[in-house]
Amino acid sequence: MKFTPARPPLTGETLATLTERLRAHGEPAFRAKQILDWLYKKRARSWDEMTNLPKPLRTWLADTFELMPAALVLNKQSEDVTDKLLLELGDGALIETVIIRAPQEGVGVEHSRKTICISTQVGCAMGCVFCASGLAGLKRDLNAGEIVAQLLQVCYREDVRTPRARMELASFDNIVVMGMGEPLANYDALIRALTILNADWGLGFGARRITISTSGLVPKILKLAEEPLGFRLAISLHGVTDEVREKIMPVNKAYPLAKLVPAIREFTAKHGRMVTLEFILIEDVNDALTQAEKLRDLARDLHAHVNLIPYNTVAGLPWKRPSLTRQERFADVLRAARVSVTLRREKGHDIDAACGQLRLRTEKERETTGAAISAA
Ligand code: SAH
Ligand code: SF4
């Protein structure tokens, strides 16, 4: 299950670890900063572009590190404003990275809010019954370099779209760790990757614009509350009673609401910021108004924001999204109590944007045809 690449990815090195590697090789410390500048600021895509490094050092680097551990194999643009990148890793595993452009009222797409959604595992072990990512279980954790590489691939992609002005990652509004996998089950790689993402020698992206979404791993939520960088937290709640939640989320057996809710409270107290409660609306599973009332009370108690997400159907699974009227009635219960609530309009439904679905379909196609996917 563990994948050890022949050469570790450069994208997984921090300034400290790279300086140490170089020092051990007899190189001066300033080289580490030069190399990371080439990678993150100048976005070099080959060692040979790093022209201020001596040739023997470039040769050593090429023998020692993988420059980019994730290759773009497919870029699917939906009819709305979602872009989906399918990336292939060193062992052939596939992961997804999604760019979501949400237009603002009355302005063009160029002024839309832009969010990048990244993956942290290949598959997922949590077994939520509605989710495509978890259908085949967990294949493996991503390493930090593979997590960071997703963001570089987004930058490369944006460079192609705007060839004259390099698009900076900072021009995106948010990064959400809501792609494939349970991020807190891959804690160390996640924190290392987000540290690189945040650092000024790295991609320089503000911690407060990074949201980690979890299905509710209580001990790791408490650990995250202690991290010095203030990342935001979203909880995939999807049920406000144990009865409803444990039917669809097996994690609720180990960490029922009586444990999860105090952990959210503690995170909010330590971190001083609103947590988001995500609630997928699934017909006849969790969309009763009694759930809405309990969700309203919980959100008020926790001083949390609520994000209602109409369920995206997954081929082969029986779950459905409720009618628009039913979605609105659910949301109205929260609105009436002035709970901060958004009812997400769907994005990218037409390109299988829901968690893990593009990968699932591509893998199925590979199995049936044995074919490699052509580069986009
Ligand atoms: N494992 C983490 C993060 C990845 S899932 C978590 O569960 O929070 C990101 C979000 O997508 C979660 O809220 C998850 O419940 C939701 N999701 C999964 N499948 C979905 C589907 N078919 N339709 C809508 N949302 C879905
Ligand atoms: Fe894993 Fe999140 Fe999907 Fe649950 S919803 S199976 S935790 S990716």
Side-chain angles (χ1 to χ4, degrees), residues 279-281 308-312 321-322 327 343-345:
F279 204 93
I280 313 178
L281 291 168
L308 298 175
I309 311 156
Y311 181 65
N312 268 324
R321 71 167 49 174
Q327 293 173 26
L343 174 58
R344 207 197 273 176
R345 272 189 300 140

Side-chain angles (χ1 to χ4, degrees), residues 117-118 120-121 124 126 128 130-133 177-183 212-216 234-238 249 278-280 309-314 317 321 344 354-355 357:
C117 176
I118 58 172
T120 50
Q121 296 182 311
C124 183
M126 305 308 296
C128 305
F130 48 79
C131 176
S133 291
V177 190
M178 289 188 189
M180 210 192 321
E182 168 48 56
I212 301 167
S213 175
T214 179
S215 58
I235 304 286
S236 292
L237 198 65
H238 312 334
M249 300 182 73
E278 293 171 277
F279 204 93
I280 313 178
I309 311 156
Y311 181 65
N312 268 324
T313 46
V314 175
L317 295 182
R321 71 167 49 174
R344 207 197 273 176
C355 207
Q357 292 186 57

Side-chain angles (χ1 to χ4, degrees), residues 2 21 118 152 241 276 356:
K2 200 166 158 45
R21 287 294 298 266
I118 58 172
L152 271 179
T241 52
T276 296

Side-chain angles (χ1 to χ4, degrees), residues 76-271:
K76 253 188 156 187
Q77 260 176 288
S78 71
E79 278 169 24
D80 59 18
V81 282
T82 310
D83 260 4
K84 191 145 195 167
L85 311 188
L86 188 69
L87 304 176
E88 183 166 11
L89 307 177
D91 58 349
L94 297 172
I95 54 166
E96 304 171 350
T97 307
V98 185
I99 303 169
I100 307 154
R101 295 185 175 79
Q104 311 285 43
E105 291 287 318
V107 292
V109 172
E110 65 278 13
H111 298 295
S112 52
R113 277 184 74 77
K114 293 187 300 171
T115 299
I116 306 169
C117 176
I118 58 172
S119 298
T120 50
Q121 296 182 311
V122 184
C124 183
M126 305 308 296
C128 305
V129 299
F130 48 79
C131 176
S133 291
L135 278 181
L138 174 69
K139 197 163 168 204
R140 70 171 173 88
D141 285 336
L142 298 189
N143 60 45
E146 290 166 332
I147 300 173
V148 173
Q150 295 173 60
L151 297 155
L152 271 179
Q153 283 290 357
V154 170
C155 291
Y156 297 165
R157 158 104 194 99
E158 296 298 305
D159 289 345
V160 174
R161 290 168 77 103
T162 53
R164 284 193 300 136
R166 284 208 149 169
M167 182 76 78
E168 291 307 322
L169 199 64
S171 74
F172 285 87
D173 297 284
N174 296 293
I175 292 174
V176 294
V177 190
M178 289 188 189
M180 210 192 321
E182 168 48 56
L184 297 189
N186 187 13
Y187 192 90
D188 293 346
L190 172 78
I191 297 299
R192 186 173 174 126
L194 296 187
T195 302
I196 295 169
L197 176 53
N198 174 254
D200 53 4
W201 46 259
L203 282 159
F205 200 87
R208 282 180 190 82
R209 293 193 285 147
I210 302 173
T211 301
I212 301 167
S213 175
T214 179
S215 58
L217 295 179
V218 167
K220 296 292 167 57
I221 293 172
L222 298 174
K223 196 170 173 192
L224 189 66
E226 305 295 336
E227 291 291 338
L229 295 174
F231 305 114
R232 288 179 184 270
L233 182 67
I235 304 286
S236 292
L237 198 65
H238 312 334
V240 211
T241 52
D242 285 327
E243 195 201 352
V244 169
R245 195 166 190 263
E246 75 183 22
K247 265 192 213 147
I248 50 177
M249 300 182 73
V251 65
N252 197 71
K253 294 211 173 67
Y255 304 114
L257 292 165
K259 289 187 178 156
L260 180 59
V261 171
I264 302 172
R265 190 171 285 123
E266 190 167 331
F267 186 93
T268 310
K270 288 230 164 90
H271 192 64

